[in-house]
Amino acid sequence: MNAKNKVLISGGAGYIGSHTAVELSEAGYDVVIIDNLTNSEINAIEGVRKITGKDIPFEKVDTCDINELRKVFEKYDFDTVIHFAAYKAVGESMAQPLKYYNNNLISFLNIMELMKEFDRPNILFSSSATVYGEAESLPVTEQSPRQPATSPYGNTKQMCEDILRDSCRAYPGIYGIALRYFNPIGAHPSSLIGELPRGVPNNLVPFITQTAAGIRECLSVFGNDYDTPDGTCLRDYIDIVDLAKAHVAAVRRMTSGDMQEKYEIFNIGTGKPVSVLELLTTFQEVNDIKVPHKMVDRRPGDVPAVWANTDYANHVLGWKAERTLAETLKSSWDWEKKIRKIQ
Ligand code: UFG
């Protein structure tokens, strides 16, 4: 198989990385995974291998160590890199900004340096809807202005996008795509891989599933006095397998020479706003389980509403979110039950 069909995935043991590895492999790409396992488990690699039935190569490598990373570039002849390896907790980034700037920027700079050094053409960066901040109008398109970042985490996403844009502009051999994810949720239908947050979850769905499992006493709904239909925040919750498939479409676009610009950006969401209460109700209905919850004050830093205009991704990538919210929330609960050994 030639280098065009080979993809290096940094952070491939993580939540989005592992699901993307599966979808790429099932689409016929040869995948190599690297991960330092600081915020992920080796079991995810086993899960990926089990689902695909392939002995996908894995190297325990820290992308912040350029010498270790260089060995991976020497050993494998991929044309494309998908860079997931990054810290992602907004709150932690406020408390420990240097940890975030160090890790998220150095790892990406190392990847970019080696792409240049080894003449590897395609780099896909995992960005976030966080770059839109509190948008002036909704839904947001890729042309909506980015707002000043409200956390070091969000700032690293903006800075990496800029590093990518400038590198694509300056180096003739480098092509980049940034995918701006909205709120990824759910798990693989096999329940062999899924989200594994360490400690108390920050995000809504893992908190709900852990509450349903009895690990947390009660879900706090952060704010019911927003200017939204039911007073709770609106988000665009995108199924993890759908999200992973967007990466396959983006890799296909890069490797087939279809890119119109050297650097392209796509929103990856469903295009549908869903409130916290709607999501919670759907979860309870589809899984036939009660989740104790209470209304509490707003969480500082939350924007009232953000959802995607996905026309560009739908038309240009030929990709569309397909799983329903109910299907996705069923997969979340199936995964939680599996890891907690609940019948
Ligand atoms: N929420 C609760 N209770 C909880 C957790 C969350 O009510 O215990 C609410 C939040 O207030 C928000 C919604 O659920 O209204 C979604 O919250 P998440 O923490 O799941 O997701 P965010 O939209 O805050 O953040 C996500 C990613 C970030 C990314 C951001 C971009 O986690 O990495 O989207 O918009 F930066």
Side-chain angles (χ1 to χ4, degrees):
M1 196 173 263
N2 67 30
K4 264 189 188 300
N5 292 321
K6 291 197 175 142
V7 181
L8 176 72
I9 302 183
S10 80
Y15 176 42
I16 307 179
S18 57
H19 288 81
T20 299
V22 166
E23 295 308 315
L24 274 170
S25 175
E26 291 190 335
Y29 290 89
D30 264 358
V31 171
V32 178
I33 295 177
I34 57 173
D35 201 298
N36 65 0
L37 301 178
T38 56
N39 198 22
S40 55
E41 306 290 337
I42 190 72
N43 293 354
I45 304 295
E46 295 314 319
V48 170
R49 289 177 176 157
K50 224 174 180 171
I51 296 167
T52 59
K54 291 181 199 156
D55 194 18
I56 292 180
F58 167 69
E59 309 270 351
K60 187 168 178 293
V61 165
D62 186 343
T63 41
C64 286
D65 182 334
I66 196 159
N67 294 321
E68 269 187 54
L69 191 56
R70 184 176 283 108
K71 288 186 198 139
V72 175
F73 276 72
E74 281 163 356
K75 185 166 169 188
Y76 301 97
D77 62 344
F78 46 83
D79 264 7
T80 304
V81 178
I82 307 185
H83 181 61
F84 292 109
Y87 293 145
K88 60 173 185 180
V90 176
E92 187 189 45
S93 81
M94 311 280 264
Q96 300 182 64
L98 291 181
K99 176 176 169 180
Y100 274 67
Y101 286 118
N102 252 303
N103 185 69
N104 293 7
L105 297 180
I106 305 266
S107 63
F108 189 56
L109 287 168
N110 285 347
I111 294 268
M112 293 306 295
E113 281 295 344
L114 293 170
M115 305 267 319
K116 194 157 67 67
E117 189 177 318
F118 286 80
D119 289 322
R120 306 295 167 88
N122 307 319
I123 165 81
L124 199 163
F125 174 66
S126 59
S127 190
S128 165
T130 196
V131 302
Y132 296 116
E134 193 165 347
E136 280 157 20
S137 64
L138 290 164
V140 289
T141 73
E142 290 79 357
Q143 278 71 46
S144 299
R146 294 187 325 188
Q147 304 292 340
T150 52
S151 71
Y153 158 77
N155 209 12
T156 67
K157 291 294 175 195
Q158 297 203 357
M159 290 164 102
C160 288
E161 282 194 353
D162 293 347
I163 291 167
L164 183 55
R165 179 202 58 211
D166 294 347
S167 302
C168 292
R169 199 178 278 160
Y171 307 119
I174 293 190
Y175 293 78
I177 287 183
L179 298 183
R180 290 178 177 161
Y181 313 141
F182 282 70
N183 290 54
I185 60 166
H188 193 268
S190 66
S191 298
L192 289 168
I193 50 173
E195 192 170 7
L196 265 183
R198 291 199 172 152
V200 182
N202 295 306
N203 297 118
L204 179 62
V205 171
F207 206 103
I208 290 177
T209 56
Q210 290 196 9
T211 308
I215 299 162
R216 311 280 156 211
E217 252 175 43
C218 184
L219 168 76
S220 295
V221 174
F222 297 135
N224 62 349
D225 56 352
Y226 286 99
D227 185 15
T228 58
D230 65 17
T232 65
C233 292
L234 299 173
R235 293 288 183 277
D236 185 335
Y237 295 95
I238 170 80
D239 179 87
I240 189 70
V241 176
D242 282 336
L243 177 72
K245 287 181 175 162
H247 295 76
V248 178
V251 169
R252 199 170 280 139
R253 180 168 173 80
M254 296 182 118
T255 52
S256 57
D258 287 346
M259 288 177 69
Q260 302 294 312
E261 311 278 344
K262 289 203 70 214
Y263 170 54
E264 297 179 341
I265 301 170
F266 296 95
N267 282 345
I268 305 298
T270 65
K272 292 185 207 90
V274 170
S275 76
V276 175
L277 285 181
E278 264 175 272
L279 185 143
L280 182 60
T281 305
T282 309
F283 180 90
Q284 296 184 112
E285 278 173 11
V286 70
N287 295 310
D288 194 20
I289 189 164
K290 287 266 168 283
V291 178
H293 59 277
K294 59 175 184 220
M295 302 299 167
V296 302
D297 285 348
R298 294 178 176 195
R299 181 170 68 176
D302 274 344
V303 298
V306 63
W307 72 95
N309 176 317
T310 59
D311 291 350
Y312 191 55
N314 297 159
H315 296 140
V316 175
L317 291 180
W319 165 90
K320 205 171 183 350
E322 280 166 1
R323 270 169 110 189
T324 63
L325 183 64
E327 284 168 329
T328 305
L329 291 173
K330 184 171 181 314
S331 74
S332 298
W333 180 228
D334 287 347
W335 163 248
E336 189 74 49
K337 283 192 291 186
K338 165 96 182 306
I339 56 176
R340 307 295 169 194
K341 302 188 170 52
I342 298 170
Q343 292 308 311

